[in-house]
Amino acid sequence: MAAECAIDGCAVLAIGRCRECGRAFCMSHQAHNEVTGEGYAALCIQCLERRARVAGADARADARAATERTWVTSGQAAMDLYAAGIAPIPVVERHSRFVRQRFGRAREEIDEIEVGALWVIGRFEWTEMQEIPETREWTTGLLARPAGGYPVAMVARAVARCKVVDGLATLVRDAPYGDSWTQLERREIPRIIAAIRATISAESPAR
C-alpha cells in the first residue's frame, strides 16, 4: 500500500519521506529551494519552516550578543558606570628603590604611582597558555581607560586581571620574558557583561 502524506492530515499520495521528522509528504507539502524552486527529496515544508525559525532566532541572538559586546568595547559601559555615580578604584604601580643611608646602609623605599582606574566586576576564568594550559578564576576589573583608550577591538582588551588591597588595585600581567600568555575565556564574556549591568542596576535609583 502506497504511503499517504502525513502533514496536517493531508492523506494525499506521498512522494517522499522527510529525513528530519520521518513523516511522508506529498508534492504540496514538499519543501522547495527558494532560489531554484527545486524540491528537496527528503524534506517536508514544515521542517524547512522550522529551520528558518531557528536560523532567525540564532541570528537575533547573535545580533543581541554583538550589541552587548559593543556596549563594552566602545567605552559606553564605562560611561554608564560613571553616569550611575559608581566611581572606579585607582590602579597603582609600585616602584621600589634603595636610598643610601649613613654608614653605607641602604633603605628600600616603595612609591605607589597611580596609572589608571578600574571597576572590580567579579571573578572570571582566564587560561594561562603554557605547555599544560591552566584555567582558573581571577579577580577581574573593567578598565576606565585601556591602553590607547576606547574603543577597543575586543572585550578582553577592556578588562584585566587585578589584585585589590586597601581600595587600590594592581594589574596582574604575564612576565615580560616568560613563555606563557594568559587569555580571557570567551564563555566568560556574557557573564562579565551581565555583571557590569547588574552593578549599574544595583546603584541606579528606582524609577
Side-chain angles (χ1 to χ4, degrees), residues 54-71:
V54 170
D58 288 345
R60 289 190 293 273
D62 288 345
R64 286 193 297 270
T67 299
E68 290 285 84
R69 291 192 298 272
T70 300
W71 178 63

Side-chain angles (χ1 to χ4, degrees), residues 72-73 126 140-141 143 146 152-161 181-185 189 192:
V72 175
T73 59
W126 297 71
T140 302
L143 298 168
V152 292
M154 61 186 72
V155 172
R157 299 289 173 83
V159 298
R161 297 175 294 156
W181 178 61
T182 306
Q183 63 182 17
L184 176 68
E185 284 293 310
I189 292 175
I192 286 173

Side-chain angles (χ1 to χ4, degrees), residues 135-205:
T135 300
R136 58 180 172 133
E137 288 188 342
W138 285 90
T139 299
T140 302
L142 175 70
L143 298 168
R145 181 177 173 80
Y150 286 107
V152 292
M154 61 186 72
V155 172
R157 299 289 173 83
V159 298
R161 297 175 294 156
C162 61
K163 293 181 179 179
V164 180
V165 178
D166 297 331
L168 298 176
T170 55
L171 299 184
V172 179
R173 297 189 176 99
D174 290 327
Y177 300 106
D179 58 0
S180 65
W181 178 61
T182 306
Q183 63 182 17
L184 176 68
E185 284 293 310
R186 184 177 178 83
R187 64 176 174 272
E188 296 289 56
I189 292 175
R191 293 184 60 233
I192 286 173
I193 294 170
I196 298 170
R197 289 204 178 277
T199 299
I200 295 172
S201 298
E203 296 295 327
S204 298

Side-chain angles (χ1 to χ4, degrees), residues 21-45:
C21 67
R23 294 177 298 175
F25 57 80
C26 65
M27 187 175 294
S28 297
H29 289 109
Q30 181 183 23
H32 289 75
N33 185 300
E34 293 183 359
V35 177
T36 66
E38 294 181 1
Y40 292 109
L43 186 67
C44 72
I45 192 169

